Amino acid sequence: DALPIWCEALFCESRAVKVPSVSVYREGTLTFHRASRMAKISAGLLMYRRGNGQLEVLLVHPGGPFWKKKDVWFVPKGEIHPGEVELAAAQREFQEETGITPQGEFLALGRVKHKSGKIVVAWAFEGDCDPTALKSNTFEMEWPPNSGNMTTFPEVDRADFFTTEAAQKQLHAAEREFVNRLQEALKERGKSPT
């Protein structure tokens, strides 16, 4: 008898991908299960500085038409390439998105999970820069949709330093935990966050 192969469409970056949802167990018994997408993992760096009696963190605003009118900021980050070490990916992505070469001691801040399922692993390092001098890499996409016109956008359109209190309001909800962890890490090391 022919056995049915169940497939479920997964949507990855606007295109449907068919993935078989069959697992074979002992003695040829078939078990059907829902196919699942592997979670994307991104790595990022949170630059911080201390001044004027306050701890501040550098956040970035994503470029492109989708984010243009949204006031949501993120830790500079990006996807890890296959075989790439997570910290090396975080350093590469920070430089690509800001034009700044990260240096110094990197404090591990652990992982958080976005509602989308994306996992972000981050480190913090002390540094300073002029956020208006940002130099981001770019990406291309068809814009407006279905126009056939390819348009280039910066991956990050602006960056700024925020106090930890302001960062909690501006940051994507899942990434707010990184600011809390940074403050705790500095306290544990006996370094005043301010």
Side-chain angles (χ1 to χ4, degrees), residues 3-160:
L3 296 171
I5 302 290
W6 292 25
C7 292
E8 188 172 322
L10 297 177
F11 293 91
C12 301
E13 298 178 18
S14 304
R15 63 181 191 269
V17 180
K18 299 245 177 195
V19 179
S21 57
V22 176
S23 294
V24 179
Y25 291 96
R26 60 189 167 317
E27 300 180 307
T29 303
L30 290 177
T31 302
F32 296 94
H33 61 87
R34 294 178 62 89
S36 64
R37 247 190 308 186
M38 286 188 65
K40 289 184 180 180
I41 300 177
S42 290
L45 293 179
L46 185 61
M47 178 191 277
Y48 68 93
R49 68 182 183 187
R50 293 175 264 213
N52 300 324
Q54 297 184 74
L55 178 65
E56 296 180 319
V57 294
L58 181 73
L59 304 179
V60 295
H61 184 271
F66 177 77
W67 297 102
K68 188 174 184 176
K69 296 181 181 180
K70 296 183 187 328
D71 195 24
V72 177
W73 296 68
F74 294 87
V75 171
K77 65 182 174 303
E79 286 189 32
I80 301 168
H81 294 159
E84 190 174 24
V85 174
E86 291 175 338
L87 179 55
Q91 292 166 326
R92 173 184 51 76
E93 285 291 338
F94 188 90
Q95 185 167 10
E96 287 176 3
E97 293 187 358
T98 66
I100 300 163
T101 302
Q103 298 177 12
E105 181 182 5
F106 297 96
L107 305 172
L109 300 177
R111 297 170 182 262
V112 298
K113 188 174 184 179
H114 285 221
K115 284 183 182 178
S116 67
K118 181 201 291 196
I119 295 168
V120 180
V121 58
W123 289 262
F125 73 103
E126 190 166 9
D128 200 359
C129 68
D130 175 3
T132 62
L134 170 81
K135 184 178 163 102
S136 175
N137 57 344
T138 59
F139 67 95
E140 267 192 345
M141 67 180 286
E142 184 180 22
W143 191 258
N146 303 313
S147 67
N149 296 324
M150 295 304 286
T151 305
T152 301
F153 297 98
E155 199 167 325
V156 167
D157 61 13
R158 59 192 186 272
D160 209 347

